[in-house]
Amino acid sequence: MTTIPDITLIGGGIIGLLTAREFIKAGATVAIIDKNQLGQESSWAGGGILLPLYPWRQPDAISRLVLQSLKLYPALAAQLTAETLIDPEWNPCGLLITKNPDMTAAVNWCAANAILCQPADAGFLNNINTIPDQPLWLPEIAQARNPRLVKSLKQDLINKGATLIEHCELTGITRTNSRITAINTSSGQLAVNQLIIAAGAWTGQLFRQLFSAAIDNAPKIAPVKGQMLLFDALPETLKFMVLDGDQYLIPRLDGKILAGSTVERDDFNKTTTEEARDRLHAFAVNLLPSLNNFPIVQHWAGLRPGTEHGIPYIDQHPEIDNLYINAGHFRNGLAMGPASAQLMVDLVLQRTTQVVPEPYKLTSPH
């Protein structure tokens, strides 16, 4: 980089990409540094349901970011498709939740947050094998196809002049009093103005490595592995997303069906296992017996940035003036992403925030 960008982001997953895009919209120059290829970790690996699983069972802080993001996604997807010619496949195909023992809480949450819902009639269950418990249909819930969303965001940032530095690892910082003046990387030293760490599951580890003297302020983010399968099904095999217990099926526009997912605390190990493959396969073909006719074409694992309650950190560091964090979105990086990016930019630029910022502070429970 010949000039120092206004904003330097460490981490090029969905949160880093969306945050970079929001800063560019505000007129800032941006650089993103990633230790691998942009967007190849949990952002690539996730399912893309644009709603938390059972949001009425989640902290309200998650709902605030999700609901704001839902407002932003239609325009975001349309702009990305038009400007990059890469369709992120935002698809409001609807979500069937087969088991709702807490139906009253579900309906109340939907009503309070203007999410359309209705009891699912027997027609939804014609081809599905489950024991329903007050099934609920949410007709407007959408999905995005993670890899295509990442590709379109990356191309959009290239088109808009962002500096993207891949395969570049952050190794240290140069700090003068309460400011970071430069970062040391595997590609050399780079001067910075404002620095944002959006490194997903690696964020907590980075903070402990770089700021060992301020370990009390390190975000409590740990990797949580999730494994998934992809079936090479035909279009119309499944027309909507299905959440059954703690697992789900997601139909893509080309007919492929994703089955997910596991929740495993296994440090930074992304190895797939036969046990998980067998368990996901058994779940999928039991729930949707027609999947017995289609082969598995992919089995992968990703590392989610887990926090205790799934609430991300979106805040300025209390001791370092030009250091910020936007990380810890656990299973809901796509669902919370646009609003998280908006909040981060609002905080840095000292604009009025669209979401109350207090729940996402470093000092708040997460």
Side-chain angles (χ1 to χ4, degrees):
M1 292 181 286
T2 55
T3 58
I4 305 173
D6 299 322
I7 307 294
T8 300
L9 285 135
I10 305 300
I14 194 71
I15 299 300
L17 294 169
L18 286 167
T19 302
R21 186 177 188 275
E22 193 72 17
F23 271 115
I24 289 173
K25 283 171 56 183
T29 56
V30 174
I32 303 180
I33 297 168
D34 197 283
K35 64 182 179 61
N36 295 313
Q37 279 185 279
L38 294 179
Q40 295 296 303
E41 298 295 345
S42 69
S43 299
W44 193 273
I49 302 175
L50 298 180
L51 190 77
L53 305 186
Y54 309 102
W56 44 91
R57 302 176 190 171
Q58 312 289 340
D60 185 66
I62 293 175
S63 294
R64 295 311 103 202
L65 290 174
V66 169
L67 293 162
Q68 177 64 8
S69 293
L70 293 183
K71 297 176 186 176
L72 300 173
Y73 255 114
L76 171 65
Q79 289 166 8
L80 289 172
T81 302
E83 295 174 17
T84 70
L85 305 181
I86 301 171
D87 183 0
E89 295 190 11
W90 177 83
N91 176 17
C93 61
L95 172 66
L96 172 68
I97 306 178
T98 63
K99 296 176 174 66
N100 292 281
D102 48 355
M103 178 62 98
T104 300
V107 171
N108 289 344
W109 184 90
C110 289
N113 295 295
I115 299 294
L116 188 61
C117 74
Q118 60 197 57
D121 62 40
F124 285 98
L125 302 167
N126 281 343
N127 301 311
I128 292 172
N129 177 41
T130 190
I131 301 173
D133 180 1
Q134 303 181 86
L136 187 66
W137 170 236
L138 282 64
E140 297 178 342
I141 298 305
Q143 58 162 297
R145 193 165 186 167
N146 302 50
R148 294 186 64 87
L149 178 58
V150 166
K151 286 178 182 178
S152 60
L153 283 168
K154 181 178 178 179
Q155 187 60 53
D156 188 54
L157 291 175
I158 292 170
N159 294 351
K160 289 176 164 59
T163 300
L164 309 181
I165 306 174
E166 299 180 309
H167 305 290
C168 178
E169 193 159 354
L170 179 62
T171 58
I173 60 165
T174 300
R175 179 177 168 183
T176 301
N177 299 322
S178 61
R179 288 187 66 83
I180 296 170
T181 55
I183 55 174
N184 305 317
T185 78
S186 54
S187 301
Q189 188 176 74
L190 302 170
V192 300
N193 283 314
Q194 305 290 338
L195 182 66
I196 299 172
I197 296 183
W202 285 263
T203 299
Q205 184 185 71
L206 262 182
F207 263 80
R208 291 188 294 274
Q209 171 192 332
L210 300 173
F211 312 109
S212 56
I215 197 67
D216 290 346
N217 291 321
K220 295 178 175 60
I221 299 173
V224 182
K225 182 162 72 175
Q227 298 187 51
M228 294 197 180
L229 302 180
L230 189 67
F231 289 81
D232 194 17
L234 296 174
E236 304 298 307
T237 301
L238 180 65
K239 297 181 180 181
F240 46 82
M241 299 177 284
V242 183
L243 174 60
D244 185 74
D246 59 358
Q247 294 176 302
Y248 47 79
L249 297 178
I250 304 172
R252 301 308 197 193
L253 288 174
D254 60 5
K256 290 183 171 62
I257 294 176
L258 186 151
S261 71
T262 65
V263 178
E264 307 167 57
R265 299 191 180 273
D266 195 14
D267 201 28
F268 288 94
N269 175 21
K270 288 199 297 180
T271 306
T272 58
T273 65
E274 287 298 314
E275 178 191 0
R277 182 187 186 280
D278 292 346
R279 185 156 26 104
L280 288 169
H281 181 267
F283 157 75
V285 299
N286 177 69
L287 184 65
L288 188 64
S290 58
L291 285 178
N292 279 299
N293 301 320
F294 304 110
I296 294 171
V297 289
Q298 277 185 280
H299 173 204
W300 68 90
L303 299 177
R304 310 176 185 97
T307 60
E308 184 178 359
H309 302 293
I311 301 171
Y313 295 83
I314 309 171
D315 195 16
Q316 182 178 14
H317 194 276
E319 298 174 8
I320 303 173
D321 295 342
N322 62 333
L323 176 64
Y324 297 81
I325 179 175
N326 190 359
H329 296 73
F330 192 32
R331 306 181 77 160
N332 296 303
L334 262 68
M336 292 192 277
S340 296
Q342 191 179 64
L343 176 57
M344 183 83 276
V345 177
D346 288 344
L347 292 173
V348 174
L349 300 183
Q350 299 181 346
R351 306 187 305 199
T352 301
T353 63
Q354 302 300 306
V355 175
V356 174
E358 280 72 21
Y360 316 104
K361 290 186 172 296
L362 278 159
T363 52
S364 297
H366 289 267

